[in-house]
Amino acid sequence: MNNTEYAALTAIGPDRIGIVDDLSAALETAGCNIEESKMASLGGEFAVILLISGSKKALSDAAVLIKTWETDFRLSLTIKPTTGAKNTTGGIPYLIESVSMDQIGIVHRLTSALRRFNVNIEELDTETAAAPWTGTQMFRVRMRVIAPLNTKIPDLKDAFDRIAREHNMDIVIHSKA
């Protein structure tokens, strides 16, 4: 019988050297393992989301130590019980990439189309960077998604083509199957 339990731990605070080391050492001391992680420095803040695992006692110990870790590491922390890694079978994986001049509403337009087709977003990354030569602010979106098996992919592509035409965007959908 597997007694492993899972929790999602989030952390955010001023970016500094050693945050990941502090968190990983504290979790190891509590008896927790890092299963999956996403981390990024955004606007001077460092944000972390971790899927951690351990015994019921280890996760309980970590939950009790959160307030101490917040003070010691100068971070805002939360911990929430969850399940293990999500099983993504039963759908078709795609990678969707978009690039355009930066404008308000890009993420909303793309995610709204996915929602209409009941497509689940597994990962979403964005960045703004200056274009070579012109310096124009360009916005890039990269999403890993899972489309239900009954999704009419040509219809989804048509929806993205409309968005691309109406808002002067390049959108590419790659099959990851």
Side-chain angles (χ1 to χ4, degrees):
M1 185 164 119
N2 185 353
N3 292 326
T4 302
E5 298 199 12
Y6 298 89
L9 184 139
T10 61
I12 189 165
D15 192 14
R16 64 173 173 78
I17 293 171
I19 291 174
V20 177
D21 184 43
D22 287 342
L23 284 172
S24 61
L27 288 166
E28 180 182 13
T29 300
C32 297
N33 186 47
I34 298 172
E35 298 282 336
E36 296 180 32
S37 66
K38 298 290 180 198
M39 303 179 202
S41 180
L42 302 166
E45 295 290 308
F46 193 72
V48 176
I49 185 164
L50 304 172
L51 175 63
I52 61 174
S53 65
S55 66
K56 186 173 189 164
K57 181 183 179 337
L59 293 179
S60 177
D61 289 349
V64 169
L65 290 167
I66 285 285
K67 290 299 179 197
T68 300
W69 295 346
E70 281 187 318
T71 302
D72 292 350
F73 308 148
R74 297 184 314 273
L75 297 170
S76 176
L77 296 161
T78 61
I79 190 166
K80 180 181 183 283
T82 188
T83 60
K86 187 175 179 184
N87 182 352
T88 57
T89 59
I92 306 167
Y94 286 92
L95 172 65
I96 300 171
E97 297 178 296
S98 169
V99 65
S100 63
M101 289 192 307
D102 193 17
Q103 55 188 287
I104 293 172
I106 293 171
V107 172
H108 173 68
R109 283 189 280 279
L110 297 173
T111 59
S112 179
L114 292 172
R115 184 180 196 174
R116 283 192 309 273
F117 287 88
N118 206 28
V119 173
N120 189 49
I121 300 168
E122 297 284 309
E123 287 182 33
L124 189 149
D125 295 303
T126 65
E127 73 173 336
T128 305
W133 300 292
T134 66
T136 301
Q137 286 297 302
M138 303 299 291
F139 191 73
R140 289 176 178 77
V141 178
R142 182 179 173 99
M143 294 184 280
R144 292 189 184 282
V145 303
I146 303 293
L149 294 174
N150 64 350
T151 302
K152 294 179 180 169
I153 300 303
D155 293 346
L156 177 63
K157 288 181 177 181
D158 286 346
F160 278 119
D161 285 344
R162 275 191 303 282
I163 293 168
R165 282 191 312 275
E166 291 171 6
H167 300 284
N168 199 25
M169 300 169 65
D170 290 326
I171 304 171
V172 179
I173 301 174
H174 306 278
S175 173
K176 301 307 279 181

